[in-house]
Amino acid sequence: MKSGTGDDRIAPDMLSLERIIGYKLRRAQLAVFQDFLDSFSQMELRPAEFSVIAIVARNPGLKQAAIAQMLAIKPANLVALIDGLQKRSLIERRKGDTDRRTYALFLTDAGERFVARMFGTWRQHEDRLIERLGGTAERDRLLDLLDRLLGQAGPDGD
Amino acid sequence: MKSGTGDDRIAPDMLSLERIIGYKLRRAQLAVFQDFLDSFSQMELRPAEFSVIAIVARNPGLKQAAIAQMLAIKPANLVALIDGLQKRSLIERRKGDTDRRTYALFLTDAGERFVARMFGTWRQHEDRLIERLGGTAERDRLLDLLDRLLGQAGPDGD
DNA sequence: TATTGTTATACTCTATAACTATA
DNA sequence: TATAGTTATAGAGTATAACAATA
């Protein structure tokens, strides 16, 4: 197969940004992150911090390298992120007992309480997005389409 | 109405990143941009440069302030972008004749030829994304959902 | 006085290389 | 010798304030 998609091929002057996947994807992502930032401004939580806390909450004891891989970020860039959360006493590093080069991450008690608040705020944010989309069925459809863009690897837990 | 969406409300331990709109949106956007960067590495064109050229190609004579507004970027950050494209002799600034504070932007002849190449490369990139999505119908559905996330303002040209 | 484009600057995010302490 | 985490650093992208030219 040559093109494979049977697409509506058009002339160069038809290069409208409004119909370009990457452009629209970027704009939508920025709008969603802005809503997130507004929602969490009082808690002073950024998306990357949210994602780390969410992973540690669901997978206590995970090593930093594993978290970096799940988030597709460099281990080097995870350090300051975890430093900040540790300084706020939300998560703690515990030396691995079998391999003492590693750190296993856990929520502190304050971290557990923080997660409860975080979840409430996130739920409001997410509901707002779902409302904009038109409902949970549209949300599911969107997640499915985004998964397709992400390539073969389907959802595999966080 | 309280929540308004009739959502599948869940416990805090259900905070799986795989089901979070903003997270999946960000990952998909990064994947799409990576495909774009790979596609355009030989032409040395970044997404922001692509978007400026696409707008000037479709709207010759537009002022910088108008372009900045369409792209939702700060006019200050547009300057270096246009400087670079001008140094590559792809676009040119012409003093506005009614308001001589402004610059109207146009493609050069080389710029016109560049757009033709750019369009071909972009078409391959976009076809690859459409193929991943499953076809143009799915692409249209995705664009529609992303427009909903972007709020009330519907497609309004670029 | 207000606006367009510009410069300078700072802050965030991300990527790489080199270091340390363990293995 | 290789790996986990760390440090330092450089490059993008983006935001604000101040300036010159013009309105």
Side-chain angles (χ1 to χ4, degrees):
Chain A
M1 68 203 74
K2 283 276 166 54
S3 92
T5 60
D7 192 31
D8 42 358
R9 199 157 303 270
I10 48 184
D13 64 57
M14 277 299 294
L15 259 175
S16 167
L17 296 182
E18 283 301 323
R19 301 278 303 155
I20 292 182
I21 296 168
Y23 179 78
K24 192 49 72 70
L25 201 49
R26 174 67 170 154
R27 293 293 295 266
Q29 183 259 307
L30 288 173
V32 166
F33 268 41
Q34 191 54 57
D35 190 285
F36 181 99
L37 290 170
D38 293 342
S39 302
F40 282 97
S41 62
Q42 197 175 354
M43 292 182 74
E44 297 186 86
L45 198 70
R46 289 164 299 164
E49 294 170 327
F50 176 95
S51 65
V52 169
I53 290 177
I55 286 183
V56 174
R58 280 173 60 87
N59 311 93
L62 225 53
K63 298 172 206 161
Q64 293 185 196
I67 294 175
Q69 189 181 20
M70 288 170 58
L71 292 176
I73 66 178
K74 303 297 167 188
N77 294 328
L78 189 55
V79 176
L81 211 45
I82 294 176
D83 283 350
L85 297 175
Q86 197 170 35
K87 279 199 191 87
R88 290 165 72 177
S89 300
L90 299 178
I91 66 177
E92 61 178 353
R93 289 173 163 103
R94 294 187 204 156
K95 274 274 188 217
D97 41 355
T98 71
D99 184 343
R100 285 163 34 85
R101 292 172 301 182
T102 66
Y103 284 113
L105 301 188
F106 297 89
L107 290 180
T108 63
D109 289 345
E112 300 278 7
R113 291 191 296 274
F114 186 88
V115 165
R117 277 212 302 148
M118 182 179 98
F119 180 77
T121 299
W122 167 77
R123 191 65 257 171
Q124 292 184 332
H125 157 72
E126 199 79 0
D127 280 348
R128 200 155 42 239
L129 299 181
I130 292 167
E131 202 167 5
R132 281 191 216 160
L133 287 171
T136 54
E138 284 78 6
R139 185 268 320 269
D140 292 343
R141 188 89 180 101
L142 174 62
L143 291 177
D144 175 53
L145 289 166
L146 295 176
D147 269 327
R148 297 184 191 196
L149 284 178
L150 279 165
Q152 49 281 42
D156 195 38
D158 45 301
Chain B
M1 68 202 73
K2 281 278 167 54
S3 92
T5 59
D7 192 30
D8 42 0
R9 200 157 299 272
I10 49 183
D13 63 59
M14 278 299 294
L15 259 176
S16 167
L17 296 182
E18 283 300 322
R19 301 279 304 157
I20 292 182
I21 296 167
Y23 179 77
K24 192 51 70 72
L25 200 50
R26 173 67 170 155
R27 292 293 294 267
Q29 183 258 308
L30 287 173
V32 166
F33 267 41
Q34 191 54 56
D35 189 286
F36 181 99
L37 290 170
D38 294 342
S39 302
F40 282 97
S41 63
Q42 197 176 352
M43 293 182 73
E44 298 187 84
L45 198 69
R46 290 164 299 163
E49 294 168 328
F50 175 95
S51 65
V52 168
I53 290 177
I55 286 183
V56 174
R58 280 173 59 86
N59 311 93
L62 224 53
K63 297 173 205 161
Q64 293 186 196
I67 294 176
Q69 189 181 19
M70 288 170 59
L71 292 176
I73 67 177
K74 303 297 168 188
N77 294 329
L78 189 57
V79 175
L81 211 45
I82 294 176
D83 284 349
L85 296 175
Q86 196 170 35
K87 280 201 191 87
R88 291 166 72 176
S89 300
L90 299 178
I91 66 177
E92 61 178 354
R93 290 174 164 103
R94 295 188 203 153
K95 274 277 189 214
D97 40 355
T98 71
D99 184 343
R100 285 163 34 85
R101 291 172 302 183
T102 67
Y103 284 112
L105 300 189
F106 298 88
L107 290 181
T108 62
D109 288 346
E112 299 278 6
R113 291 190 297 274
F114 187 88
V115 165
R117 279 213 303 147
M118 183 179 96
F119 181 77
T121 300
W122 168 76
R123 191 66 258 172
Q124 291 184 332
H125 157 72
E126 198 80 0
D127 280 348
R128 201 156 41 240
L129 299 182
I130 292 167
E131 200 167 5
R132 282 192 216 158
L133 288 171
T136 54
E138 284 77 6
R139 186 268 319 270
D140 292 343
R141 188 89 180 102
L142 174 63
L143 292 177
D144 175 53
L145 290 166
L146 295 176
D147 269 327
R148 298 183 191 197
L149 284 178
L150 279 165
Q152 48 282 43
D156 195 37
D158 43 301

